[in-house]
Structure formats: structure tokens, C-alpha cells
Amino acid sequence: MTIMPSLEYEHALKAEGCQVVAGVDEAGRGPLAGPVSVAAVVLPADFDHPVLTESKKLTEPRRERLYEELTSDARIRWCCVLVEAVEIDRLNILGATHEGMRRAVVGL
């Protein structure tokens, strides 16, 4: 089953009075060793980008250029955190991912 991207949730939250909606995602949950990386981002309401769709479909050089472009845009708020293996061992991978998400959102 393919789920198409949608702004349905964001629009519903804003209709309820929420002024800021952050996107949160993780990478690194699959490997058996190493940290889990979590990022949170708030894009401006008028944000649109012709190339930015699915990072896994981009080449590494294109991802690097997009990283430079997006992280240097003062309108974009972002925070990235790493949860190290020792915390993953203590919390389990799901707990460590949730903790990383919490830290990334607080870091915004």
C-alpha cells in the first residue's frame, strides 16, 4: 500500500489554532550498532522546493547540495541529534528513537 504525501494533518492542526508544525524523522534504527540520528524541522508556510521529495531517491552529491542549501536558509528551523549506542542499550531502540525525537523538538 502506498501512502501519498499530504498536508491534511498540518491543515487540521492549524485550523485548531496550532501556529507551528514540526516534521520529525529518524535514521539508523536498522543497524545493529551505532547511533540513531533524529532531526526535526519547521518549514516556512510558503515553502516549496522543486527537487525535495524523497531523500532516498537522490544521489549523494545532490543530497549534499540540498543539505547546504536548506541548512543555510534562515527561514528554516532545524535540529539534529544523535542518540548513542549506550543509550540505545539502556532505553531500547524505540525508546531511544522517541528520546531523540523529544530532544530534536526541544532543540528547535
Side-chain angles (χ1 to χ4, degrees):
M1 178 172 103
T2 301
I3 299 173
M4 298 303 296
S6 166
L7 294 174
E8 177 183 345
Y9 293 114
E10 288 86 346
H11 291 310
L13 289 168
K14 289 185 178 186
E16 293 175 13
C18 184
Q19 295 179 9
V20 177
V21 176
V24 182
D25 200 5
E26 57 74 29
R29 283 184 57 180
L32 295 176
V36 63
S37 175
V38 182
V41 64
V42 175
L43 299 172
D46 62 346
F47 184 82
D48 187 36
H49 197 286
V51 176
L52 191 60
T53 54
E54 171 55 65
S55 64
K56 292 178 179 93
K57 294 181 181 177
L58 299 171
T59 64
E60 185 173 346
R62 185 63 179 138
R63 279 194 308 272
E64 292 294 324
R65 285 192 302 272
L66 280 170
Y67 172 82
E68 293 300 326
E69 176 186 341
L70 298 172
T71 58
S72 65
D73 186 334
R75 301 171 309 142
I76 298 173
R77 301 290 181 232
W78 62 275
C79 180
C80 184
V81 300
L82 293 176
V83 181
E84 298 295 339
V86 66
E87 281 191 274
I88 295 170
D89 290 344
R90 184 173 56 83
L91 299 171
N92 76 46
I93 188 61
L94 182 59
T97 301
H98 288 168
E99 176 59 20
M101 290 176 171
R102 186 194 68 74
R103 290 178 191 170
V105 170
V106 167
L108 289 173

